[in-house]
Amino acid sequence: DQQVKQNSPSLSVQEGRISILNCDYTNSMFDYFLWYKKYPAEGPTFLISISSIKDKNEDGRFTVFLNKSAKHLSLHIVPSQPGDSAVYFCAASAETGANNLFFGTGTRLTVIP
Amino acid sequence: DTAVSQTPKYLVTQMGNDKSIKCEQNLGHDTMYWYKQDSKKFLKIMFSYNNKELIINETVPNRFSPKSPDKAHLNLHINSLELGDSAVYFCASSPGLLNSPLHFGNGTRLTVT
């Protein structure tokens, strides 16, 4: 039972354009959402997060949007750079005290120079 | 100076063997985790460990056991290895506070033949 879903396994974007990665979740108890970036043969690296009390969080070129009613979040990267090419994982957790993250299956982003 | 380090990076072994994967974090974090990434690239929590409190994902076979000699280490022992145990195992740590990002190691690719 996958509670966090990323329905696009891959995305290709031209350098300089916007990349939009999407994520849906089913558990209404989730109140903290994160995006991780992963290069081959490395572990996931934390990118940006948002709590359920907000609908937008921005950090440089990265912005995460949260739509609680739709149980949907997205990551916008503007402008996209070739170094952004990686697999992006969406993750979520609920205030259970365990801080356990539920991950999506990832979206492979390729930024074309 | 890697924040979360795990060894070995690759582990190839035969069915029925017992093996261990070591994990160390130098971030001063209170909570450590083991995640498994299966062939479908799905990252799933196996254990979280905080101040001697172990929280186990109920789907994890009891052949898997985490051992924490101190706050900076959480090793994973696997008994009677099976073909289905082949996966990439990631160690992670966090400050132990709710809604704090996890920091991951680079993973151990386990292949059971």
PDB file of all heavy atoms in Angstrom, chain A residues 2 31-32 34 36 38 41-44 46 89 95 97-101 103, chain B residues 9 33 35 37 41-43 45 48 90 94 97-102 104-106:
ATOM      1  N   GLN A   2       1.049   1.836  -1.154  1.00  0.00           N
ATOM      2  CA  GLN A   2       1.966   2.950  -1.287  1.00  0.00           C
ATOM      3  C   GLN A   2       1.235   4.243  -0.968  1.00  0.00           C
ATOM      4  O   GLN A   2       0.317   4.631  -1.684  1.00  0.00           O
ATOM      5  CB  GLN A   2       2.529   2.957  -2.699  1.00  0.00           C
ATOM      6  CG  GLN A   2       3.776   3.761  -2.870  1.00  0.00           C
ATOM      7  CD  GLN A   2       4.408   3.540  -4.228  1.00  0.00           C
ATOM      8  OE1 GLN A   2       4.200   2.513  -4.841  1.00  0.00           O
ATOM      9  NE2 GLN A   2       5.153   4.519  -4.684  1.00  0.00           N
ATOM     10  N   ASP A  31       1.847  15.364   7.796  1.00  0.00           N
ATOM     11  CA  ASP A  31       1.884  16.793   8.068  1.00  0.00           C
ATOM     12  C   ASP A  31       3.253  17.418   7.775  1.00  0.00           C
ATOM     13  O   ASP A  31       3.476  18.592   8.054  1.00  0.00           O
ATOM     14  CB  ASP A  31       1.483  17.069   9.520  1.00  0.00           C
ATOM     15  CG  ASP A  31       2.410  16.405  10.519  1.00  0.00           C
ATOM     16  OD1 ASP A  31       3.349  15.703  10.097  1.00  0.00           O
ATOM     17  OD2 ASP A  31       2.198  16.567  11.730  1.00  0.00           O
ATOM     18  N   TYR A  32       4.142  16.638   7.231  1.00  0.00           N
ATOM     19  CA  TYR A  32       5.480  17.144   6.913  1.00  0.00           C
ATOM     20  C   TYR A  32       5.925  16.461   5.638  1.00  0.00           C
ATOM     21  O   TYR A  32       5.842  15.232   5.515  1.00  0.00           O
ATOM     22  CB  TYR A  32       6.427  16.817   8.073  1.00  0.00           C
ATOM     23  CG  TYR A  32       7.844  17.328   7.926  1.00  0.00           C
ATOM     24  CD1 TYR A  32       8.106  18.686   7.719  1.00  0.00           C
ATOM     25  CD2 TYR A  32       8.930  16.470   8.023  1.00  0.00           C
ATOM     26  CE1 TYR A  32       9.395  19.157   7.615  1.00  0.00           C
ATOM     27  CE2 TYR A  32      10.225  16.937   7.913  1.00  0.00           C
ATOM     28  CZ  TYR A  32      10.449  18.279   7.709  1.00  0.00           C
ATOM     29  OH  TYR A  32      11.730  18.753   7.607  1.00  0.00           O
ATOM     30  N   LEU A  34       8.818  16.354   2.287  1.00  0.00           N
ATOM     31  CA  LEU A  34      10.197  16.646   1.924  1.00  0.00           C
ATOM     32  C   LEU A  34      10.452  16.212   0.489  1.00  0.00           C
ATOM     33  O   LEU A  34       9.791  15.321  -0.045  1.00  0.00           O
ATOM     34  CB  LEU A  34      11.179  15.889   2.836  1.00  0.00           C
ATOM     35  CG  LEU A  34      10.993  15.978   4.338  1.00  0.00           C
ATOM     36  CD1 LEU A  34      10.080  14.877   4.858  1.00  0.00           C
ATOM     37  CD2 LEU A  34      12.346  15.878   5.032  1.00  0.00           C
ATOM     38  N   TYR A  36      13.833  14.906  -1.719  1.00  0.00           N
ATOM     39  CA  TYR A  36      15.215  14.468  -1.687  1.00  0.00           C
ATOM     40  C   TYR A  36      15.699  14.311  -3.121  1.00  0.00           C
ATOM     41  O   TYR A  36      14.942  13.966  -4.022  1.00  0.00           O
ATOM     42  CB  TYR A  36      15.344  13.112  -0.970  1.00  0.00           C
ATOM     43  CG  TYR A  36      15.370  13.189   0.533  1.00  0.00           C
ATOM     44  CD1 TYR A  36      14.180  13.298   1.261  1.00  0.00           C
ATOM     45  CD2 TYR A  36      16.566  13.147   1.236  1.00  0.00           C
ATOM     46  CE1 TYR A  36      14.206  13.373   2.644  1.00  0.00           C
ATOM     47  CE2 TYR A  36      16.601  13.223   2.617  1.00  0.00           C
ATOM     48  CZ  TYR A  36      15.416  13.329   3.310  1.00  0.00           C
ATOM     49  OH  TYR A  36      15.440  13.401   4.690  1.00  0.00           O
ATOM     50  N   LYS A  38      18.735  12.401  -5.474  1.00  0.00           N
ATOM     51  CA  LYS A  38      19.651  11.268  -5.382  1.00  0.00           C
ATOM     52  C   LYS A  38      20.425  11.105  -6.675  1.00  0.00           C
ATOM     53  O   LYS A  38      19.850  10.967  -7.757  1.00  0.00           O
ATOM     54  CB  LYS A  38      18.867   9.992  -5.068  1.00  0.00           C
ATOM     55  CG  LYS A  38      19.778   8.776  -4.821  1.00  0.00           C
ATOM     56  CD  LYS A  38      18.979   7.539  -4.535  1.00  0.00           C
ATOM     57  CE  LYS A  38      19.915   6.363  -4.260  1.00  0.00           C
ATOM     58  NZ  LYS A  38      20.858   6.112  -5.368  1.00  0.00           N
ATOM     59  N   ALA A  41      24.649   5.794  -7.025  1.00  0.00           N
ATOM     60  CA  ALA A  41      25.622   5.280  -6.053  1.00  0.00           C
ATOM     61  C   ALA A  41      25.796   6.199  -4.834  1.00  0.00           C
ATOM     62  O   ALA A  41      26.797   6.098  -4.119  1.00  0.00           O
ATOM     63  CB  ALA A  41      26.981   5.024  -6.706  1.00  0.00           C
ATOM     64  N   GLU A  42      24.848   7.083  -4.610  1.00  0.00           N
ATOM     65  CA  GLU A  42      24.872   7.918  -3.412  1.00  0.00           C
ATOM     66  C   GLU A  42      23.540   7.794  -2.686  1.00  0.00           C
ATOM     67  O   GLU A  42      22.537   7.334  -3.250  1.00  0.00           O
ATOM     68  CB  GLU A  42      25.133   9.382  -3.761  1.00  0.00           C
ATOM     69  CG  GLU A  42      26.500   9.633  -4.353  1.00  0.00           C
ATOM     70  CD  GLU A  42      26.750  11.120  -4.585  1.00  0.00           C
ATOM     71  OE1 GLU A  42      25.937  11.952  -4.129  1.00  0.00           O
ATOM     72  OE2 GLU A  42      27.758  11.446  -5.228  1.00  0.00           O
ATOM     73  N   GLY A  43      23.528   8.234  -1.431  1.00  0.00           N
ATOM     74  CA  GLY A  43      22.278   8.247  -0.706  1.00  0.00           C
ATOM     75  C   GLY A  43      21.450   9.467  -1.056  1.00  0.00           C
ATOM     76  O   GLY A  43      21.966  10.435  -1.617  1.00  0.00           O
ATOM     77  N   PRO A  44      20.156   9.436  -0.735  1.00  0.00           N
ATOM     78  CA  PRO A  44      19.319  10.611  -0.958  1.00  0.00           C
ATOM     79  C   PRO A  44      19.834  11.799  -0.143  1.00  0.00           C
ATOM     80  O   PRO A  44      20.244  11.636   1.010  1.00  0.00           O
ATOM     81  CB  PRO A  44      17.941  10.157  -0.458  1.00  0.00           C
ATOM     82  CG  PRO A  44      17.990   8.669  -0.462  1.00  0.00           C
ATOM     83  CD  PRO A  44      19.403   8.311  -0.171  1.00  0.00           C
ATOM     84  N   PHE A  46      18.838  15.604   1.291  1.00  0.00           N
ATOM     85  CA  PHE A  46      17.707  16.479   1.571  1.00  0.00           C
ATOM     86  C   PHE A  46      17.786  17.760   0.755  1.00  0.00           C
ATOM     87  O   PHE A  46      18.846  18.396   0.661  1.00  0.00           O
ATOM     88  CB  PHE A  46      17.666  16.813   3.065  1.00  0.00           C
ATOM     89  CG  PHE A  46      16.692  17.899   3.427  1.00  0.00           C
ATOM     90  CD1 PHE A  46      15.332  17.651   3.353  1.00  0.00           C
ATOM     91  CD2 PHE A  46      17.125  19.153   3.819  1.00  0.00           C
ATOM     92  CE1 PHE A  46      14.423  18.639   3.674  1.00  0.00           C
ATOM     93  CE2 PHE A  46      16.228  20.140   4.151  1.00  0.00           C
ATOM     94  CZ  PHE A  46      14.869  19.889   4.066  1.00  0.00           C
ATOM     95  N   PHE A  89      13.038  12.246  -5.030  1.00  0.00           N
ATOM     96  CA  PHE A  89      12.073  11.508  -4.234  1.00  0.00           C
ATOM     97  C   PHE A  89      11.253  12.469  -3.397  1.00  0.00           C
ATOM     98  O   PHE A  89      11.787  13.353  -2.723  1.00  0.00           O
ATOM     99  CB  PHE A  89      12.783  10.532  -3.293  1.00  0.00           C
ATOM    100  CG  PHE A  89      13.411   9.353  -3.966  1.00  0.00           C
ATOM    101  CD1 PHE A  89      14.746   9.375  -4.331  1.00  0.00           C
ATOM    102  CD2 PHE A  89      12.672   8.215  -4.228  1.00  0.00           C
ATOM    103  CE1 PHE A  89      15.344   8.288  -4.953  1.00  0.00           C
ATOM    104  CE2 PHE A  89      13.247   7.118  -4.848  1.00  0.00           C
ATOM    105  CZ  PHE A  89      14.585   7.158  -5.212  1.00  0.00           C
ATOM    106  N   GLU A  95       2.887  12.987  12.429  1.00  0.00           N
ATOM    107  CA  GLU A  95       3.391  13.290  13.774  1.00  0.00           C
ATOM    108  C   GLU A  95       3.130  12.098  14.695  1.00  0.00           C
ATOM    109  O   GLU A  95       2.301  12.144  15.601  1.00  0.00           O
ATOM    110  CB  GLU A  95       2.701  14.539  14.328  1.00  0.00           C
ATOM    111  CG  GLU A  95       3.421  15.121  15.518  1.00  0.00           C
ATOM    112  CD  GLU A  95       2.886  16.468  15.923  1.00  0.00           C
ATOM    113  OE1 GLU A  95       2.787  17.346  15.059  1.00  0.00           O
ATOM    114  OE2 GLU A  95       2.537  16.624  17.104  1.00  0.00           O
ATOM    115  N   GLY A  97       5.713  10.553  16.274  1.00  0.00           N
ATOM    116  CA  GLY A  97       6.796  10.441  17.239  1.00  0.00           C
ATOM    117  C   GLY A  97       7.966   9.645  16.701  1.00  0.00           C
ATOM    118  O   GLY A  97       9.025   9.628  17.294  1.00  0.00           O
ATOM    119  N   ALA A  98       7.788   8.979  15.595  1.00  0.00           N
ATOM    120  CA  ALA A  98       8.872   8.153  15.072  1.00  0.00           C
ATOM    121  C   ALA A  98       9.636   8.836  13.951  1.00  0.00           C
ATOM    122  O   ALA A  98      10.705   8.392  13.594  1.00  0.00           O
ATOM    123  CB  ALA A  98       8.310   6.829  14.575  1.00  0.00           C
ATOM    124  N   ASN A  99       9.075   9.896  13.408  1.00  0.00           N
ATOM    125  CA  ASN A  99       9.729  10.620  12.310  1.00  0.00           C
ATOM    126  C   ASN A  99      10.075   9.691  11.158  1.00  0.00           C
ATOM    127  O   ASN A  99      11.110   9.847  10.521  1.00  0.00           O
ATOM    128  CB  ASN A  99      10.988  11.343  12.815  1.00  0.00           C
ATOM    129  CG  ASN A  99      11.408  12.464  11.891  1.00  0.00           C
ATOM    130  OD1 ASN A  99      10.575  13.069  11.224  1.00  0.00           O
ATOM    131  ND2 ASN A  99      12.686  12.743  11.835  1.00  0.00           N
ATOM    132  N   ASN A 100       9.255   8.713  10.899  1.00  0.00           N
ATOM    133  CA  ASN A 100       9.526   7.812   9.790  1.00  0.00           C
ATOM    134  C   ASN A 100       8.991   8.396   8.508  1.00  0.00           C
ATOM    135  O   ASN A 100       7.871   8.895   8.457  1.00  0.00           O
ATOM    136  CB  ASN A 100       8.857   6.455  10.042  1.00  0.00           C
ATOM    137  CG  ASN A 100       9.457   5.737  11.217  1.00  0.00           C
ATOM    138  OD1 ASN A 100      10.581   6.016  11.619  1.00  0.00           O
ATOM    139  ND2 ASN A 100       8.726   4.794  11.780  1.00  0.00           N
ATOM    140  N   LEU A 101       9.824   8.354   7.490  1.00  0.00           N
ATOM    141  CA  LEU A 101       9.445   8.905   6.205  1.00  0.00           C
ATOM    142  C   LEU A 101       8.879   7.823   5.297  1.00  0.00           C
ATOM    143  O   LEU A 101       9.397   6.713   5.239  1.00  0.00           O
ATOM    144  CB  LEU A 101      10.652   9.540   5.523  1.00  0.00           C
ATOM    145  CG  LEU A 101      11.260  10.762   6.198  1.00  0.00           C
ATOM    146  CD1 LEU A 101      12.433  11.275   5.385  1.00  0.00           C
ATOM    147  CD2 LEU A 101      10.223  11.842   6.377  1.00  0.00           C
ATOM    148  N   PHE A 103       8.315   7.201   1.357  1.00  0.00           N
ATOM    149  CA  PHE A 103       8.864   7.725   0.112  1.00  0.00           C
ATOM    150  C   PHE A 103       8.031   7.332  -1.090  1.00  0.00           C
ATOM    151  O   PHE A 103       7.425   6.259  -1.130  1.00  0.00           O
ATOM    152  CB  PHE A 103      10.285   7.186  -0.111  1.00  0.00           C
ATOM    153  CG  PHE A 103      11.338   7.887   0.689  1.00  0.00           C
ATOM    154  CD1 PHE A 103      11.602   7.509   1.996  1.00  0.00           C
ATOM    155  CD2 PHE A 103      12.088   8.919   0.139  1.00  0.00           C
ATOM    156  CE1 PHE A 103      12.577   8.145   2.742  1.00  0.00           C
ATOM    157  CE2 PHE A 103      13.069   9.561   0.882  1.00  0.00           C
ATOM    158  CZ  PHE A 103      13.310   9.171   2.179  1.00  0.00           C
TER     159      PHE A 103
ATOM    160  N   LYS B   9      30.273  -1.024   0.952  1.00  0.00           N
ATOM    161  CA  LYS B   9      29.458  -0.419  -0.092  1.00  0.00           C
ATOM    162  C   LYS B   9      28.776  -1.503  -0.924  1.00  0.00           C
ATOM    163  O   LYS B   9      27.653  -1.345  -1.385  1.00  0.00           O
ATOM    164  CB  LYS B   9      30.320   0.463  -1.000  1.00  0.00           C
ATOM    165  CG  LYS B   9      29.524   1.322  -1.956  1.00  0.00           C
ATOM    166  CD  LYS B   9      30.407   2.355  -2.623  1.00  0.00           C
ATOM    167  CE  LYS B   9      29.609   3.193  -3.602  1.00  0.00           C
ATOM    168  NZ  LYS B   9      28.599   4.013  -2.928  1.00  0.00           N
ATOM    169  N   TYR B  33      18.308   5.181  11.576  1.00  0.00           N
ATOM    170  CA  TYR B  33      17.313   4.406  10.822  1.00  0.00           C
ATOM    171  C   TYR B  33      18.016   3.457   9.860  1.00  0.00           C
ATOM    172  O   TYR B  33      19.143   3.701   9.424  1.00  0.00           O
ATOM    173  CB  TYR B  33      16.432   5.337   9.972  1.00  0.00           C
ATOM    174  CG  TYR B  33      15.845   6.521  10.682  1.00  0.00           C
ATOM    175  CD1 TYR B  33      16.604   7.657  10.929  1.00  0.00           C
ATOM    176  CD2 TYR B  33      14.514   6.524  11.081  1.00  0.00           C
ATOM    177  CE1 TYR B  33      16.063   8.762  11.570  1.00  0.00           C
ATOM    178  CE2 TYR B  33      13.961   7.630  11.718  1.00  0.00           C
ATOM    179  CZ  TYR B  33      14.742   8.741  11.962  1.00  0.00           C
ATOM    180  OH  TYR B  33      14.193   9.832  12.584  1.00  0.00           O
ATOM    181  N   TYR B  35      16.805   1.872   6.084  1.00  0.00           N
ATOM    182  CA  TYR B  35      15.832   1.823   5.003  1.00  0.00           C
ATOM    183  C   TYR B  35      16.287   0.795   3.978  1.00  0.00           C
ATOM    184  O   TYR B  35      17.486   0.567   3.800  1.00  0.00           O
ATOM    185  CB  TYR B  35      15.703   3.183   4.298  1.00  0.00           C
ATOM    186  CG  TYR B  35      14.787   4.159   4.984  1.00  0.00           C
ATOM    187  CD1 TYR B  35      15.207   4.866   6.104  1.00  0.00           C
ATOM    188  CD2 TYR B  35      13.500   4.382   4.514  1.00  0.00           C
ATOM    189  CE1 TYR B  35      14.367   5.770   6.736  1.00  0.00           C
ATOM    190  CE2 TYR B  35      12.653   5.285   5.141  1.00  0.00           C
ATOM    191  CZ  TYR B  35      13.088   5.968   6.249  1.00  0.00           C
ATOM    192  OH  TYR B  35      12.264   6.862   6.873  1.00  0.00           O
ATOM    193  N   GLN B  37      15.847  -0.218  -0.114  1.00  0.00           N
ATOM    194  CA  GLN B  37      15.362   0.149  -1.444  1.00  0.00           C
ATOM    195  C   GLN B  37      15.331  -1.107  -2.286  1.00  0.00           C
ATOM    196  O   GLN B  37      16.377  -1.692  -2.604  1.00  0.00           O
ATOM    197  CB  GLN B  37      16.252   1.200  -2.095  1.00  0.00           C
ATOM    198  CG  GLN B  37      15.681   1.709  -3.416  1.00  0.00           C
ATOM    199  CD  GLN B  37      16.533   2.788  -4.050  1.00  0.00           C
ATOM    200  OE1 GLN B  37      17.760   2.776  -3.946  1.00  0.00           O
ATOM    201  NE2 GLN B  37      15.896   3.737  -4.713  1.00  0.00           N
ATOM    202  N   LYS B  41      12.814   0.310  -6.720  1.00  0.00           N
ATOM    203  CA  LYS B  41      13.317   1.616  -6.282  1.00  0.00           C
ATOM    204  C   LYS B  41      12.490   2.211  -5.147  1.00  0.00           C
ATOM    205  O   LYS B  41      12.561   3.409  -4.895  1.00  0.00           O
ATOM    206  CB  LYS B  41      13.378   2.624  -7.445  1.00  0.00           C
ATOM    207  CG  LYS B  41      14.154   2.114  -8.636  1.00  0.00           C
ATOM    208  CD  LYS B  41      15.582   1.768  -8.275  1.00  0.00           C
ATOM    209  CE  LYS B  41      16.381   1.305  -9.481  1.00  0.00           C
ATOM    210  NZ  LYS B  41      17.726   0.815  -9.089  1.00  0.00           N
ATOM    211  N   PHE B  42      11.718   1.379  -4.473  1.00  0.00           N
ATOM    212  CA  PHE B  42      10.862   1.843  -3.404  1.00  0.00           C
ATOM    213  C   PHE B  42      11.642   1.839  -2.087  1.00  0.00           C
ATOM    214  O   PHE B  42      12.095   0.792  -1.643  1.00  0.00           O
ATOM    215  CB  PHE B  42       9.642   0.930  -3.332  1.00  0.00           C
ATOM    216  CG  PHE B  42       8.570   1.382  -2.400  1.00  0.00           C
ATOM    217  CD1 PHE B  42       8.279   2.717  -2.227  1.00  0.00           C
ATOM    218  CD2 PHE B  42       7.824   0.460  -1.692  1.00  0.00           C
ATOM    219  CE1 PHE B  42       7.280   3.128  -1.375  1.00  0.00           C
ATOM    220  CE2 PHE B  42       6.809   0.863  -0.830  1.00  0.00           C
ATOM    221  CZ  PHE B  42       6.544   2.198  -0.674  1.00  0.00           C
ATOM    222  N   LEU B  43      11.832   3.019  -1.480  1.00  0.00           N
ATOM    223  CA  LEU B  43      12.535   3.157  -0.208  1.00  0.00           C
ATOM    224  C   LEU B  43      11.556   2.945   0.933  1.00  0.00           C
ATOM    225  O   LEU B  43      10.577   3.672   1.063  1.00  0.00           O
ATOM    226  CB  LEU B  43      13.129   4.566  -0.076  1.00  0.00           C
ATOM    227  CG  LEU B  43      14.562   4.774  -0.496  1.00  0.00           C
ATOM    228  CD1 LEU B  43      14.839   6.257  -0.633  1.00  0.00           C
ATOM    229  CD2 LEU B  43      15.522   4.165   0.502  1.00  0.00           C
ATOM    230  N   ILE B  45      11.044   2.125   5.248  1.00  0.00           N
ATOM    231  CA  ILE B  45      11.637   2.096   6.580  1.00  0.00           C
ATOM    232  C   ILE B  45      11.665   0.660   7.106  1.00  0.00           C
ATOM    233  O   ILE B  45      10.709  -0.100   6.951  1.00  0.00           O
ATOM    234  CB  ILE B  45      10.858   3.003   7.561  1.00  0.00           C
ATOM    235  CG1 ILE B  45      11.479   3.014   8.960  1.00  0.00           C
ATOM    236  CG2 ILE B  45       9.381   2.600   7.628  1.00  0.00           C
ATOM    237  CD1 ILE B  45      12.669   3.884   9.078  1.00  0.00           C
ATOM    238  N   SER B  48      13.696   2.275  13.236  1.00  0.00           N
ATOM    239  CA  SER B  48      14.223   3.516  13.760  1.00  0.00           C
ATOM    240  C   SER B  48      14.641   3.249  15.204  1.00  0.00           C
ATOM    241  O   SER B  48      14.034   2.412  15.896  1.00  0.00           O
ATOM    242  CB  SER B  48      13.199   4.647  13.676  1.00  0.00           C
ATOM    243  OG  SER B  48      12.094   4.384  14.501  1.00  0.00           O
ATOM    244  N   PHE B  90      19.999   1.500   3.126  1.00  0.00           N
ATOM    245  CA  PHE B  90      20.481   2.833   3.489  1.00  0.00           C
ATOM    246  C   PHE B  90      20.328   3.051   4.987  1.00  0.00           C
ATOM    247  O   PHE B  90      19.259   2.813   5.557  1.00  0.00           O
ATOM    248  CB  PHE B  90      19.675   3.914   2.764  1.00  0.00           C
ATOM    249  CG  PHE B  90      19.960   4.015   1.294  1.00  0.00           C
ATOM    250  CD1 PHE B  90      19.140   3.386   0.370  1.00  0.00           C
ATOM    251  CD2 PHE B  90      21.046   4.747   0.835  1.00  0.00           C
ATOM    252  CE1 PHE B  90      19.392   3.479  -0.984  1.00  0.00           C
ATOM    253  CE2 PHE B  90      21.313   4.845  -0.518  1.00  0.00           C
ATOM    254  CZ  PHE B  90      20.488   4.209  -1.436  1.00  0.00           C
ATOM    255  N   SER B  94      18.815  11.400  12.170  1.00  0.00           N
ATOM    256  CA  SER B  94      18.145  12.696  12.299  1.00  0.00           C
ATOM    257  C   SER B  94      18.297  13.164  13.732  1.00  0.00           C
ATOM    258  O   SER B  94      18.609  12.368  14.626  1.00  0.00           O
ATOM    259  CB  SER B  94      16.666  12.584  11.922  1.00  0.00           C
ATOM    260  OG  SER B  94      15.940  11.940  12.936  1.00  0.00           O
ATOM    261  N   LEU B  97      14.129  15.039  16.423  1.00  0.00           N
ATOM    262  CA  LEU B  97      12.983  15.916  16.609  1.00  0.00           C
ATOM    263  C   LEU B  97      11.956  15.619  15.527  1.00  0.00           C
ATOM    264  O   LEU B  97      12.307  15.220  14.436  1.00  0.00           O
ATOM    265  CB  LEU B  97      13.418  17.385  16.496  1.00  0.00           C
ATOM    266  CG  LEU B  97      14.524  17.812  17.448  1.00  0.00           C
ATOM    267  CD1 LEU B  97      15.010  19.211  17.102  1.00  0.00           C
ATOM    268  CD2 LEU B  97      14.012  17.757  18.886  1.00  0.00           C
ATOM    269  N   LEU B  98      10.707  15.874  15.840  1.00  0.00           N
ATOM    270  CA  LEU B  98       9.695  15.712  14.812  1.00  0.00           C
ATOM    271  C   LEU B  98       9.946  16.709  13.694  1.00  0.00           C
ATOM    272  O   LEU B  98      10.435  17.811  13.921  1.00  0.00           O
ATOM    273  CB  LEU B  98       8.308  15.953  15.404  1.00  0.00           C
ATOM    274  CG  LEU B  98       7.802  14.876  16.357  1.00  0.00           C
ATOM    275  CD1 LEU B  98       6.460  15.287  16.912  1.00  0.00           C
ATOM    276  CD2 LEU B  98       7.713  13.535  15.666  1.00  0.00           C
ATOM    277  N   ASN B  99       9.593  16.311  12.502  1.00  0.00           N
ATOM    278  CA  ASN B  99       9.718  17.180  11.338  1.00  0.00           C
ATOM    279  C   ASN B  99      11.144  17.681  11.129  1.00  0.00           C
ATOM    280  O   ASN B  99      11.383  18.868  10.890  1.00  0.00           O
ATOM    281  CB  ASN B  99       8.757  18.360  11.436  1.00  0.00           C
ATOM    282  CG  ASN B  99       7.306  17.920  11.400  1.00  0.00           C
ATOM    283  OD1 ASN B  99       7.013  16.761  11.106  1.00  0.00           O
ATOM    284  ND2 ASN B  99       6.402  18.813  11.683  1.00  0.00           N
ATOM    285  N   SER B 100      12.075  16.794  11.244  1.00  0.00           N
ATOM    286  CA  SER B 100      13.454  17.121  10.909  1.00  0.00           C
ATOM    287  C   SER B 100      13.928  16.168   9.815  1.00  0.00           C
ATOM    288  O   SER B 100      13.603  14.987   9.828  1.00  0.00           O
ATOM    289  CB  SER B 100      14.350  17.000  12.136  1.00  0.00           C
ATOM    290  OG  SER B 100      14.278  15.713  12.695  1.00  0.00           O
ATOM    291  N   PRO B 101      14.689  16.691   8.842  1.00  0.00           N
ATOM    292  CA  PRO B 101      15.096  15.843   7.719  1.00  0.00           C
ATOM    293  C   PRO B 101      16.037  14.729   8.150  1.00  0.00           C
ATOM    294  O   PRO B 101      16.815  14.876   9.100  1.00  0.00           O
ATOM    295  CB  PRO B 101      15.821  16.809   6.782  1.00  0.00           C
ATOM    296  CG  PRO B 101      15.497  18.173   7.254  1.00  0.00           C
ATOM    297  CD  PRO B 101      15.171  18.060   8.701  1.00  0.00           C
ATOM    298  N   LEU B 102      15.981  13.632   7.439  1.00  0.00           N
ATOM    299  CA  LEU B 102      16.922  12.545   7.632  1.00  0.00           C
ATOM    300  C   LEU B 102      18.130  12.760   6.745  1.00  0.00           C
ATOM    301  O   LEU B 102      18.012  13.255   5.618  1.00  0.00           O
ATOM    302  CB  LEU B 102      16.275  11.202   7.275  1.00  0.00           C
ATOM    303  CG  LEU B 102      15.459  10.494   8.362  1.00  0.00           C
ATOM    304  CD1 LEU B 102      14.274  11.327   8.803  1.00  0.00           C
ATOM    305  CD2 LEU B 102      15.021   9.124   7.890  1.00  0.00           C
ATOM    306  N   PHE B 104      21.133  10.669   4.944  1.00  0.00           N
ATOM    307  CA  PHE B 104      21.368   9.296   4.526  1.00  0.00           C
ATOM    308  C   PHE B 104      22.832   9.016   4.244  1.00  0.00           C
ATOM    309  O   PHE B 104      23.593   9.886   3.805  1.00  0.00           O
ATOM    310  CB  PHE B 104      20.571   8.995   3.251  1.00  0.00           C
ATOM    311  CG  PHE B 104      19.105   8.791   3.493  1.00  0.00           C
ATOM    312  CD1 PHE B 104      18.243   9.868   3.545  1.00  0.00           C
ATOM    313  CD2 PHE B 104      18.596   7.511   3.668  1.00  0.00           C
ATOM    314  CE1 PHE B 104      16.887   9.689   3.781  1.00  0.00           C
ATOM    315  CE2 PHE B 104      17.238   7.313   3.892  1.00  0.00           C
ATOM    316  CZ  PHE B 104      16.389   8.413   3.950  1.00  0.00           C
ATOM    317  N   GLY B 105      23.218   7.755   4.464  1.00  0.00           N
ATOM    318  CA  GLY B 105      24.492   7.266   3.983  1.00  0.00           C
ATOM    319  C   GLY B 105      24.383   6.930   2.499  1.00  0.00           C
ATOM    320  O   GLY B 105      23.320   7.095   1.885  1.00  0.00           O
ATOM    321  N   ASN B 106      25.469   6.450   1.925  1.00  0.00           N
ATOM    322  CA  ASN B 106      25.502   6.191   0.484  1.00  0.00           C
ATOM    323  C   ASN B 106      25.005   4.807   0.090  1.00  0.00           C
ATOM    324  O   ASN B 106      25.029   4.456  -1.089  1.00  0.00           O
ATOM    325  CB  ASN B 106      26.916   6.396  -0.059  1.00  0.00           C
ATOM    326  CG  ASN B 106      27.250   7.869  -0.185  1.00  0.00           C
ATOM    327  OD1 ASN B 106      26.361   8.709  -0.342  1.00  0.00           O
ATOM    328  ND2 ASN B 106      28.529   8.198  -0.094  1.00  0.00           N
TER     329      ASN B 106
END
